[in-house]
């Protein structure tokens, strides 16, 4: 068994042994993917359970040799992420293996929210309707395929909540044992949303960065464990590309002018950009400039802080925010988020917890979408970007709602409630003043 000294998600050095050797990998297991390529030095590694470059320890990313892919082929596919299977590291017969079949969520034209914030053309990509109510079902579906092809015995993850829900559910449906690790102070609904699917939910007394460190250690000790965001991270991360593909397809095969995406590890943002670039390269959309914006909560804003300071050095922080799904103090892809946002002419911005709560309410009351704290962060950042002139209110804009408000009820419970509590009589109702509205 080979053991790789690697940098984990949170830059802690750990020894992570490979899950089963790549020799056993079946032909076509990863579709049109041909290698894992280092994002830092370009060194190529065989497709396998690897995530750190053997030359420089940089992060590995899936590299492809795409054949001809047409709009018609994609449109003829299923109404889930597998319609893009030719662009993902999954086998061509992926639909035959049970998975949660996430994706193809609605892209809503948000007239009311646009009017409220002063934007003339705004869309909300609503990923709260995925099988476990967050965009994490997309990444987990790809990680599950990789875990299967690599013959993993256990499907596992360290999580800020939504990932644990998605892993536990997908593992149940696939009939593979799951073990999920979360910070013990996580919102109760997110704990229950994992525990219903698995009897192996582990609450760790520490923050996400502690949980992640522990997961890297376990991955190094236990053979055959596929940690979705640790040792199969390159495959997992590709799942976020489907958000970019869907937005382009649902806009009628074109790219928006601006997009606002919440940032935790930063993986999602980098992959939506990768998806747009691939669509341009494949000739599936017209080449055009677009700006990418990142959204963070001030209580955990290492990327936004580095952006504003004009530096590449991302200083890890100890998270303190109600936006727990974004509370990664040492983001693995933060540096790439900075590159993309700066390179496209976008920005990274942050908002405080009061603004996050206000963002949740604004989206609910303008569009009838109940988002979680991550979505509240994105809406509030959108408002701030408009108000500070960083985002063009006339240009076509998309924001991504990545999760569901029922999972973070506590964040908003004190802000809303019954307008009045009355006896069941008409006189009592009139007494509230509500009958005159
Ligand atoms: C995980 C998560 C994110 C951020 O994802 P990264 O790829 O780690 O940046 C955003 N929103 C929600 C709801 C999440 O669960
Ligand atoms: Zn390298």
């Amino acid at each position: 068994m080979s053991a790789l000294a690697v940098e984990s998600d949170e830059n802690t050095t750990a020894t992570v042994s490979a899950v089963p050797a790549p020799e056993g990998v079946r032909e076509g297991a990863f579709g049109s993917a041909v290698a894992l390529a280092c994002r830092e030095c370009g060194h190529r590694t065989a497709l396998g359970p690897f995530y750190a470059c053997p030359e420089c320890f940089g992060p590995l990313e899936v590299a492809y040799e795409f054949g001809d892919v047409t709009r018609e082929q994609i449109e003829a596919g299923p109404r889930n992420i597998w319609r893009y299977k030719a662009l993902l590291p999954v086998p061509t017969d992926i639909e035959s293996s049970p998975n949660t079949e996430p994706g193809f969520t609605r892209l809503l034209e948000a007239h009311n929210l646009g009017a409220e914030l002063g934007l003339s053309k705004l869309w909300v990509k609503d990923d709260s309707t995925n099988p476990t109510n967050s965009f994490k079902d997309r990444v987990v579906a790809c990680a599950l395929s990789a875990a299967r092809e690599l013959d993993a015995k256990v499907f596992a993850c360290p999580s800020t909540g939504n990932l644990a829900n998605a892993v536990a559910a997908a593992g149940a449906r696939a009939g593979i044992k799951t073990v999920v690790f979360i910070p013990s102070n996580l919102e109760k609904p997110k704990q229950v949303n994992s525990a219903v699917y698995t009897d192996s939910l582990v609450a760790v007394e520490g923050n996400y960065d502690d949980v992640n460190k522990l997961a890297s250690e376990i991955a190094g000790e236990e053979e055959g464990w596929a940690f979705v965001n640790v040792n199969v991270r390159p495959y997992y991360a590709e799942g976020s590309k489907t958000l970019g593909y869907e937005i382009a397809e649902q806009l009628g095969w074109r790219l928006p002018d601006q997009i606002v995406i919440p940032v935790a590890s930063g993986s999602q943002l980098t992959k939506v950009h990768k998806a747009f670039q691939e669509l341009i390269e494949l000739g599936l959309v017209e080449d055009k400039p677009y700006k990418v914006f990142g959204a963070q909560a001030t209580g955990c804003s290492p990327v936004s802080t580095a952006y504003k300071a004009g530096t590449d050095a991302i200083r890890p922080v100890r998270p303190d925010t109600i936006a727990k799904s974004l509370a990664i103090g040492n983001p693995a892809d933060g540096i790439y988020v900075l590159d993309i946002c700066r390179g496209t002419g976008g920005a990274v911005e942050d908002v405080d917890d009061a603004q996050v709560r206000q963002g949740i309410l604004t989206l609910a009351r303008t569009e009838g979408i109940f988002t979680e704290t991550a979505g509240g962060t994105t809406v509030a950042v959108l408002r701030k970007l408009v108000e500070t002139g960083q985002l063009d209110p006339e240009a076509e804009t998309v924001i991504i709602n990545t999760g569901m408000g029922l999972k973070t009820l506590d964040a908003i419970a004190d802000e809303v409630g019954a307008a009045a509590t009355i006896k069941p009589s008409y006189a009592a109702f009139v007494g509230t003043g509500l009958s005159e509205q």
Side-chain angles (χ1 to χ4, degrees):
M1 150 136 329
S2 67
L4 298 173
V6 293
E7 295 256 304
S8 83
D9 199 9
E10 307 310 320
N11 289 336
T12 49
T13 304
T15 303
V16 176
S17 53
V19 254
E23 296 97 69
V25 174
R26 73 176 172 128
E27 182 80 22
F30 297 105
S32 55
V34 291
L36 295 174
C38 175
R39 259 151 132 185
E40 290 299 322
C41 76
H43 178 82
R44 290 194 163 204
T45 305
L47 291 160
F50 314 120
Y51 63 102
C53 175
E55 299 290 318
C56 77
F57 297 153
L60 297 175
E61 182 170 49
V62 177
Y64 303 84
E65 277 171 19
F66 295 128
D68 270 346
V69 182
T70 66
R71 292 177 183 178
E72 292 70 29
Q73 261 170 33
I74 291 169
E75 286 164 358
R79 291 181 68 81
N80 59 51
I81 62 169
W82 302 139
R83 69 203 276 109
Y84 308 106
K85 66 184 176 184
L87 307 174
L88 296 169
V90 299
T92 50
D93 62 351
I94 182 70
E95 291 109 313
S96 62
S97 318
N99 211 314
T100 56
E101 288 88 34
F104 223 69
T105 56
R106 59 194 184 157
L107 180 73
L108 285 172
E109 190 155 15
H111 292 293
N112 298 336
L113 180 61
E116 166 79 20
L117 304 183
L119 287 148
S120 56
K121 207 147 188 58
L122 178 64
W123 301 83
V124 178
K125 177 64 171 167
D126 183 15
D127 245 25
S128 68
T129 60
N130 273 316
T132 68
N133 305 105
S134 86
F135 94 95
K136 290 297 197 306
D137 291 309
R138 298 174 183 272
V139 279
V140 166
C142 290
L144 176 60
S145 176
R148 269 196 182 111
E149 298 297 341
L150 296 168
D151 228 6
K153 292 187 307 227
V154 179
F155 197 46
C157 69
S159 170
T160 57
N162 283 317
L163 185 61
N165 300 170
V167 164
R173 186 154 154 74
I176 178 170
K177 181 179 166 58
T178 55
V179 183
V180 299
F181 299 85
I182 53 163
S184 58
N185 73 349
L186 199 63
E187 300 99 327
K188 187 82 181 166
K190 283 187 183 156
Q191 299 201 28
V192 174
N193 262 300
S194 289
V196 286
Y197 304 115
T198 180
D199 57 9
S200 304
L201 169 71
V202 182
V204 179
E205 291 169 358
N207 62 26
Y208 174 78
D209 300 285
D210 300 318
V211 179
N212 187 65
K213 206 182 291 182
L214 172 63
S216 296
E217 201 181 323
I218 296 169
E221 295 290 334
E222 303 291 333
E223 225 175 295
W225 282 48
F227 275 90
V228 304
N229 50 344
V230 182
N231 52 359
V232 291
R233 186 174 177 87
Y235 309 95
Y236 153 94
E238 292 294 289
S240 284
K241 291 194 307 182
T242 59
L243 270 164
Y245 301 146
E246 285 177 23
I247 289 166
E249 182 180 349
Q250 290 169 324
L251 284 174
W253 292 109
R254 54 190 189 82
L255 302 180
D257 299 320
Q258 311 178 116
I259 185 161
V260 186
I261 305 171
V263 172
S265 73
S267 175
Q268 177 187 190
L269 185 146
T270 65
K271 295 297 176 171
V272 169
H273 174 65
K274 187 182 185 192
F276 286 175
Q277 291 301 306
E278 286 175 352
L279 292 177
I280 291 170
E281 275 160 37
L282 288 161
L284 291 167
V285 298
E286 214 167 281
D287 193 357
K288 62 166 269 198
Y290 57 86
K291 296 181 179 182
V292 182
F293 297 84
Q296 295 208 296
T298 306
C300 184
S301 52
V303 187
S304 171
T305 302
Y307 173 81
K308 290 174 183 174
T311 163
D312 276 348
I314 294 175
R315 253 211 228 126
V317 301
R318 186 166 282 277
D320 180 16
T321 169
I322 57 166
K324 295 206 167 86
S325 55
L326 301 181
I328 296 184
N330 192 1
D333 292 309
I335 183 77
Y336 305 111
V337 168
L338 286 175
D339 280 354
I340 290 166
C341 293
R342 286 180 178 140
T344 61
V348 190
E349 214 7 304
D350 58 270
V351 287
D352 65 29
D353 284 358
Q355 292 169 308
V356 170
R357 289 193 184 91
Q358 201 53 51
I360 293 174
L361 274 182
T362 302
L363 184 61
R365 294 190 170 181
T366 56
E367 300 298 340
I369 298 172
F370 188 14
T371 185
E372 69 146 79
T373 47
T377 303
T378 306
V379 171
V381 162
L382 174 64
R383 183 192 285 277
K384 190 167 176 182
L385 290 168
V386 175
E387 285 174 357
T388 54
Q390 298 179 80
L391 183 138
D392 178 359
E394 301 302 327
E396 187 167 41
T397 306
V398 173
I399 62 170
I400 302 180
N401 173 31
T402 48
M404 150 67 78
L406 289 172
K407 292 192 193 183
T408 60
L409 274 181
D410 281 355
I412 200 80
D414 292 339
E415 311 284 314
V416 294
T421 303
I422 58 169
K423 293 274 185 274
S425 80
Y426 181 63
F429 174 62
V430 171
T432 65
L434 288 168
S435 63
E436 287 136 39
Q437 290 181 4

